[in-house]
Amino acid sequence: DGGITQSPKYLFRKEGQNVTLSCEQNLNHDAMYWYRQDPGQGLRLIYYSQIVNDFQKGDIAEGYSVSREKKESFPLTVTSAQKNPTAFYLCASRLGTSGAADEQFFGPGTRLTVL
Amino acid sequence: SQKIEQNSEALNIQEGKTATLTCNYTNYSPAYLQWYRQDPGRGPVFLLLIRENEKEKRKERLKVTFDTTLKQSLFHITASQPADSATYLCAPVQRDNFNKFYFGSGTKLNVKP
């Protein structure tokens, strides 16, 4: 089955620790995205990548880092510099054809809690 | 700055009625606009897309309108069912940057039996 997987589903972190959230897709999509969602809030864009080895900051990139070494993988690291990391993290991908109005496919999300 | 507004108050309707959700945007020139459904604890799922040159789009019980003069999209669910209860998000996509997506905060729809 084609789709996006995120792991783990739940993640607990102690203050001061870095943690990495996994996102993998087998849809052969070029573009991938990371969003953060707080309770009762909308999605806020953290980082996005249009192609391998390239990525851009979204609106709330501070305290986060990403890499895009492979087309199918876009891991997100939440660093200790992120002051309030407890949230629901969503990864998405889209075909990314230039100028095409294609939709995003989302993973099931990772719920990160700082203890 | 670009802004997307969706009614933050939940919409409560009776089963069988038509639900109408609103998406307003400012400082945007979207080439198209997408609507997604999100259930609690899950990722959003794409529903419909409407382009700037389309006034209306339909898919089964769903209908979307797009008024670029009013800077507004309306999302209708006819003959609503309790299973339609979810949060609905809109995402206008800027014409000069198809790769950068912004979402509205969503409107929660509750359909009562």
Side-chain angles (χ1 to χ4, degrees):
Chain A
D1 285 338
I4 301 181
T5 56
Q6 290 185 244
S7 61
K9 188 170 176 65
Y10 298 96
L11 185 58
F12 298 90
R13 187 194 96 170
K14 292 182 180 178
E15 284 195 25
Q17 280 184 337
N18 291 355
V19 290
T20 297
L21 282 59
S22 167
C23 177
E24 303 277 331
Q25 53 100 356
N26 61 2
L27 299 167
N28 200 31
H29 285 173
D30 284 320
M32 295 188 75
Y33 301 78
W34 273 106
Y35 295 91
R36 169 183 172 139
Q37 188 172 37
D38 293 282
Q41 305 294 313
L43 307 179
R44 290 190 288 167
L45 183 62
I46 305 173
Y47 269 98
Y48 65 105
S49 168
Q50 297 167 226
I51 199 168
V52 174
N53 292 323
D54 186 46
F55 47 83
Q56 287 78 40
K57 293 181 180 180
D59 291 340
I60 57 165
E62 186 175 351
Y64 300 98
S65 66
V66 293
S67 63
R68 186 88 188 275
E69 297 175 2
K70 298 186 294 183
K71 187 175 186 178
E72 58 270 24
S73 179
F74 192 41
L76 173 75
T77 297
V78 184
T79 74
S80 56
Q82 170 49 238
K83 297 305 177 192
N84 185 21
T86 295
F88 187 48
Y89 290 85
L90 286 160
C91 179
S93 72
R94 55 184 277 269
L95 191 57
T97 306
S98 179
D102 42 309
E103 72 269 26
Q104 293 197 339
F105 293 79
F106 283 84
T110 292
R111 192 167 297 279
L112 173 64
T113 302
V114 173
L115 302 173
Chain B
S1 62
Q2 295 169 333
K3 195 173 180 183
I4 306 167
E5 291 180 327
Q6 293 187 257
N7 196 339
S8 58
E9 290 184 16
L11 178 63
N12 299 304
I13 65 168
Q14 206 65 34
E15 182 176 8
K17 300 293 186 186
T18 296
T20 298
L21 307 176
T22 304
C23 175
N24 295 300
Y25 56 90
T26 54
N27 296 324
Y28 249 104
S29 295
Y32 62 95
L33 190 146
Q34 298 181 345
W35 282 89
Y36 290 76
R37 167 185 173 140
Q38 186 176 24
D39 290 287
R42 306 183 77 129
V45 175
F46 171 77
L47 295 174
L48 273 174
L49 175 153
I50 187 165
R51 299 176 192 278
E52 59 179 332
N53 60 351
E54 296 176 318
K55 293 277 191 226
E56 182 180 295
K57 200 78 167 284
R58 290 176 187 259
K59 180 182 176 183
E60 298 171 351
R61 294 184 295 110
L62 308 181
K63 184 179 85 170
V64 173
T65 62
F66 194 9
D67 189 325
T68 54
T69 302
L70 291 178
K71 295 187 181 296
Q72 180 182 81
S73 175
L74 299 179
F75 178 81
H76 307 270
I77 305 175
T78 58
S80 58
Q81 305 165 0
D84 295 326
S85 297
T87 296
Y88 292 86
L89 309 169
C90 71
V93 181
Q94 186 72 6
R95 78 176 64 256
D96 59 358
N97 193 345
F98 276 30
N99 289 301
K100 195 170 184 181
F101 273 60
Y102 289 104
F103 287 82
S105 55
T107 298
K108 184 169 170 54
L109 173 65
N110 296 313
V111 181
K112 300 182 188 302

